[in-house]
Amino acid sequence: MTEEENEDLFDDVNDIEISDETGGLYEHLNLVVDKKQEPLRIDKYLLLFRQNSTRNKISQTCRAGNVVVNGKPVKQNYRVKPGDEISVLLAHPPRENVIIPENIPVNIIYEDDDLVVVDKEPGMVVHPGFGNWSGTLVNALAYHFEQNGDKSDLDRVGLVHRIDKDTSGLLVIAKNEYALSFLAKQFFDRTTKRLYWAFVWGNVDEDEGTIRGHIGRHLKNRMQMAVYEDGSHGKHAVTHYKVLERFRYMTWVQCKLETGRTHQIRAHFKHIGHTILRGINLPKYKQFVQNIFDVLPRHALHAHTLGFIHPTTKKEMFFESPMPEDMSTAVEKWRNYLSNNG
């Protein structure tokens, strides 16, 4: 194939979708093989489109079932033919800098050769990035792996999903390319089992409900996410919720995300008039609430459950994280307040 024909290959990429599930960790490619293409192993063929990748990464992506040709998963030795319709899901862990191991306590609740499950404390950034080059969960895990003789390379593999700095709760981190690809597909396909707990302002009207509305960057404040019901901006987003307990001025809700947009729970509940509990929203007429923020100054959001299929055993794994101390203390304060004030 000539250099000119090779350049023409890029015209055959019909769609490249970057998932914003916790920040663009996956890349979804849909493409059709050119009519002039000679038979070529698919692992070599895909490198024509993703030259910054490796054959090993493509191989493990195939092994995980994330390379589909004409509707069927294929192995890395499959030879592409003219007209083949190819769909690829690639996992892309953040690579802002070299990961420096740091001796930071981290609550690991499960670990094996393929993955580690962490119950993250609130206030910890998940991975290094602008403004947070150290002190992150990934730095802590790099140190943990180093101390235990684990050769997992967190510069190359690792995150398949994220939660915000202020959010507490469960995360799974892959320890090799195959596990990364296998887990990434489950998060991309929404087959994982995850529930969040949140405290929101006000008394939510319905015991159960669904919030729908496109979520995208706010048109005036690009640091915030906003909801666009008419679909004029952003991406389709759906949040299902269930009320767990009511505290007159605050409601404890359980959330299940049908989609995974950036700050989805925050944006959806703010849109329906029930902002996530946080200190900056202090009602001046309720001094008692100040006591809540003394113990819970962060966004009151917790990743409560996590379920997925294990990459190697193919068995379902399920984890639950108890309510963290700051949120449970806030609950007790609310209950005491209501019992003493009718």
Side-chain angles (χ1 to χ4, degrees):
M1 183 175 291
T2 67
E3 181 177 348
E4 181 178 342
E5 290 173 326
N6 187 36
E7 290 294 326
D8 289 342
L9 278 172
F10 291 90
D11 294 333
D12 297 322
V13 179
N14 294 338
D15 180 47
I16 298 179
E17 174 188 349
I18 304 298
S19 170
D20 70 345
E21 155 74 20
T22 58
L25 294 178
Y26 321 126
E27 184 177 20
H28 190 203
L29 287 75
N30 290 315
L31 51 100
V32 177
V33 178
D34 186 79
K35 60 183 179 180
K36 300 178 182 179
Q37 175 65 49
E38 298 178 355
L40 181 68
R41 281 177 58 116
I42 196 165
D43 52 356
K44 293 183 178 180
Y45 178 77
L46 291 177
L47 285 177
L48 297 173
F49 298 90
R50 286 295 171 265
Q51 297 178 1
N52 63 340
S53 191
T54 65
R55 284 188 67 182
N56 178 60
K57 183 174 185 64
I58 298 298
S59 175
Q60 297 302 331
T61 300
C62 289
R63 183 184 168 206
N66 294 5
V67 179
V68 176
V69 178
N70 302 325
K72 296 182 179 180
V74 298
K75 296 181 179 180
Q76 66 269 23
N77 60 358
Y78 173 84
R79 292 184 177 274
V80 300
K81 302 183 294 293
D84 276 350
E85 296 182 3
I86 303 174
S87 176
V88 184
L89 178 66
L90 287 171
H92 288 293
R95 298 170 178 166
E96 287 88 346
N97 67 331
V98 175
I99 303 301
I100 300 174
E102 295 183 64
N103 186 7
I104 304 170
V106 59
N107 184 15
I108 295 174
I109 61 175
Y110 177 84
E111 183 174 11
D112 61 25
D113 292 339
D114 291 308
L115 56 88
V116 56
V117 177
V118 171
D119 194 349
K120 188 184 82 69
E121 296 290 330
M124 175 179 274
V125 175
V126 171
H127 71 89
F130 182 75
N132 294 285
W133 296 113
S134 63
T136 74
L137 174 64
V138 170
N139 295 112
L141 288 175
Y143 179 86
H144 169 76
F145 294 154
E146 182 180 77
Q147 294 300 303
N148 288 275
D150 196 309
K151 297 182 179 180
S152 298
D153 183 2
L154 286 184
D155 287 339
R156 192 167 52 87
V157 301
L159 297 177
V160 290
H161 66 130
R162 293 183 245 200
I163 56 178
D164 294 337
K165 173 184 176 181
D166 281 345
T167 303
S168 55
L170 297 170
L171 281 163
V172 59
I173 296 90
K175 295 172 66 175
N176 55 63
E177 288 280 9
Y178 169 65
L180 179 68
S181 295
F182 190 90
L183 291 168
K185 181 169 175 53
Q186 295 180 65
F187 279 90
F188 189 82
D189 290 343
R190 302 283 161 200
T191 59
T192 57
K193 295 180 178 179
R194 291 190 292 166
L195 295 175
Y196 290 82
W197 283 342
F199 297 162
V200 300
W201 281 115
N203 190 14
V204 177
D205 292 336
E206 303 295 331
D207 289 339
E208 296 185 26
T210 297
I211 308 171
R212 292 182 172 87
H214 281 51
I215 293 179
R217 293 289 174 185
H218 195 286
L219 296 180
K220 294 183 179 180
N221 185 349
R222 305 297 291 176
M223 298 298 291
Q224 295 182 7
M225 307 303 290
V227 176
Y228 302 92
E229 284 189 336
D230 60 0
S232 59
H233 299 283
K235 294 183 178 181
H236 173 68
V238 180
T239 301
H240 305 285
Y241 69 86
K242 177 180 179 181
V243 172
L244 298 181
E245 193 168 352
R246 300 178 184 276
F247 299 97
R248 190 183 302 169
Y249 307 112
M250 184 270 285
T251 306
W252 173 12
V253 294
Q254 177 175 281
C255 303
K256 181 179 181 180
L257 306 186
E258 187 173 309
T259 55
R261 307 308 177 195
T262 302
H263 297 168
Q264 178 170 322
I265 296 176
R266 292 192 207 176
H268 267 168
F269 274 93
K270 181 178 181 179
H271 180 67
I272 65 171
H274 296 285
T275 307
I276 296 286
L277 189 72
R278 194 180 187 188
I280 59 173
N281 301 308
L282 174 64
K284 296 180 180 179
Y285 59 88
K286 286 296 177 184
Q287 182 59 43
F288 161 75
V289 179
Q290 181 61 58
N291 296 329
I292 298 295
F293 296 132
D294 290 340
V295 296
L296 183 58
R298 65 180 175 102
H299 279 113
L301 191 58
H302 179 66
H304 171 51
T305 70
L306 175 62
F308 54 85
I309 303 299
H310 192 278
T312 300
T313 67
K314 303 302 187 292
K315 294 181 179 180
E316 184 176 31
M317 305 190 76
F318 187 79
F319 302 90
E320 288 189 1
S321 170
M323 183 176 287
E325 183 177 358
D326 56 357
M327 290 179 69
S328 62
T329 300
V331 165
E332 290 306 312
K333 283 183 175 291
W334 279 110
R335 288 172 178 163
N336 291 335
Y337 175 81
L338 293 179
S339 65
N340 293 327
N341 293 272

